[in-house]
Amino acid sequence: PKEDESSQLARFLLDADVPMKLLSNLGSVTFETRKSIVIVFNFLLHVQEPLELQTIVSRYLRSRAKEIIRLLLSYYSMENLALHAGDMMRQCLVHPSLYHECLSDDMVVLNHFFDTFLQMDSFEICSDAFATFRDILTKQKQFVSEFLEKKL
C-alpha cells in the first residue's frame, strides 16, 4: 500500500483500539493465533517509516503504556501465556514510553519480576523472566542508573 493508505489503515486500527483488544484476548485464542498476535504487536513497536505512521503508533503506545505493560505483566503468571508475554515485554523496551513504564515510580514491574517471576517453578518461565528482567535493567543504563539512585 501507498504510505498514505498504510497510515490511514494504522490510524483506523489504532482508533478502534485493535492492538489492545488483541492483547486483552490473548488467553482466549489458539496457540497459533497467539503467535500471530505477538508478531503484529511486535511489528507495531518497530514501525519506522513512513514518519506519519511512526508518529501515529508512538502516540497510541504512549497513551496505552501503563495498560499494555500491566496486561503483559499479568500474563507472566499464566503458564500458557508467559513466554508470549515475555517476548512482547522485551520488545516493548525499544519504545521509550513503554520502557519507562517498566521502571515506573511504583516499581510494580520490578517487584513482580524480583518477587515472583524469577522464583517460579517452571524453568522456561523463570529463564524468560530473567532475560526480560536483565533487559529492563541494561537496555538504557543511564536511565536505569538515575532511576535506581532516586529509589535507593
Side-chain angles (χ1 to χ4, degrees), residues 14 47 53-63 95 97:
L14 296 175
V47 168
L53 181 56
Q54 181 186 19
T55 302
I56 293 167
V57 170
S58 290
R59 191 177 309 124
Y60 175 82
L61 293 172
R62 238 186 343 269
S63 71
H95 195 277
S97 62

Side-chain angles (χ1 to χ4, degrees), residues 81-151:
L81 301 178
L83 299 180
H84 297 294
D87 181 20
M88 289 187 283
M89 184 79 91
R90 284 187 299 279
Q91 294 301 314
C92 284
L93 300 178
V94 303
H95 195 277
S97 62
L98 295 171
Y99 186 89
H100 291 150
E101 185 58 40
C102 288
L103 294 172
S104 62
D105 286 337
D106 59 11
M107 293 184 57
V108 168
V109 174
L110 292 180
N111 287 336
H112 269 74
F113 273 95
F114 197 71
D115 295 340
T116 306
F117 305 139
L118 296 178
Q119 300 175 35
M120 294 182 84
D121 292 334
S122 168
F123 176 76
E124 291 84 9
I125 296 173
C126 189
S127 296
D128 188 87
F130 184 76
T132 303
F133 187 70
R134 180 199 64 220
D135 284 354
I136 290 170
L137 295 177
T138 61
K139 288 286 182 184
Q140 293 186 22
K141 292 176 183 166
Q142 182 64 35
F143 178 73
V144 172
S145 173
E146 291 168 7
F147 172 79
L148 291 175
E149 283 179 13
K150 184 172 73 172
K151 288 296 176 185

